[in-house]
């Protein structure tokens, strides 16, 4: 399930450190024990400052463990993007139970609208940005104009 952050700001409920944490807000009321969560923080870096109107940034974590098979998206975050931007901060969370593989890659894209597909003029990561469970540093995802 994608996380949507209003107004392009980091969600105030997600102000935890980037270490592995135990989150009661992802379990609770239904009688299940809350899941262990991984939090990945960082920024999407544009080649230069750009002016956006009703665009969206999508940050994803993909399991690329299986050889000769498509990657599997295990976490995704959608961020509304407006105004002049050079770096777009993100805080992506992934449930430990969804991280069944051993090789993960972060990706990012910026679309002119949430309803549109990628098209010329949008931005996309063109290099692999590996992520490991023990990574705690902020990630910098560089995107290129397509």
């Amino acid at each position: 399930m994608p996380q949507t952050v209003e107004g392009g700001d980091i969600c105030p409920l997600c102000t935890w450190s980037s270490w592995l944490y135990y989150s009661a807000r992802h379990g609770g009321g239904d009688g299940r024990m809350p899941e262990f969560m991984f939090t990945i923080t960082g920024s999407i870096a544009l080649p230069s400052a750009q002016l956006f109107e009703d665009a969206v940034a999508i940050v994803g974590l993909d399991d690329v463990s299986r050889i000769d098979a498509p990657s599997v998206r295990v976490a995704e975050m959608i961020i509304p993007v407006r105004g002049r931007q050079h770096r777009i901060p993100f805080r992506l969370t992934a449930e430990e139970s969804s991280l069944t593989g051993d090789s993960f890659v972060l990706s990012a894209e910026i679309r002119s609208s949430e309803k549109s597909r990628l098209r010329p003029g949008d931005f996309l990561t063109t290099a692999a940005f590996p992520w490991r469970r023990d990574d705690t540093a902020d990630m910098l995802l560089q995107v290129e104009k397509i």
Side-chain angles (χ1 to χ4, degrees):
M1 174 79 63
Q3 303 168 342
T4 302
V5 179
E6 296 298 323
D9 294 327
I10 295 297
C11 171
L13 295 175
C14 301
T15 56
W16 299 92
S17 97
S18 57
W19 289 92
L20 170 67
Y21 70 95
Y22 189 75
S23 173
R25 68 184 178 91
H26 289 281
D30 61 1
R32 293 181 306 138
M33 285 296 291
E35 298 249 4
F36 279 100
M37 303 295 289
F38 286 90
T39 300
I40 305 164
T41 59
S43 297
I44 301 169
L46 291 143
S48 62
Q50 302 288 319
L51 184 60
F52 294 100
E53 183 177 318
D54 297 323
V56 293
I58 300 170
V59 178
L61 179 65
D62 298 319
D63 182 340
V64 294
S65 300
R66 295 176 27 188
I67 298 173
D68 294 332
S71 63
V72 176
R73 176 74 33 115
V74 294
E76 182 173 89
M77 177 180 197
I78 300 172
I79 308 164
V81 180
R82 293 177 190 86
R84 185 164 293 283
Q85 303 288 331
H86 187 253
R87 289 201 176 175
I88 301 166
F90 67 86
R91 182 176 297 271
L92 179 66
T93 58
E95 294 180 5
E96 182 180 32
S97 62
S98 68
L99 304 177
T100 57
D102 59 4
S103 186
F104 301 93
V105 173
L106 286 161
S107 64
E109 57 189 60
I110 302 172
R111 298 180 187 181
S112 56
S113 114
E114 187 172 2
K115 295 181 176 149
S116 71
R117 292 179 167 212
L118 280 171
R119 59 184 186 191
D122 289 346
F123 294 84
L124 178 68
T125 49
T126 58
F129 294 93
W131 176 81
R132 295 183 324 263
R133 288 177 176 90
D134 61 349
D135 284 342
T136 58
D138 281 355
M139 302 293 295
L140 184 62
L141 308 181
Q142 297 175 331
V143 293
E144 300 293 329
K145 195 172 215 175
I146 57 171

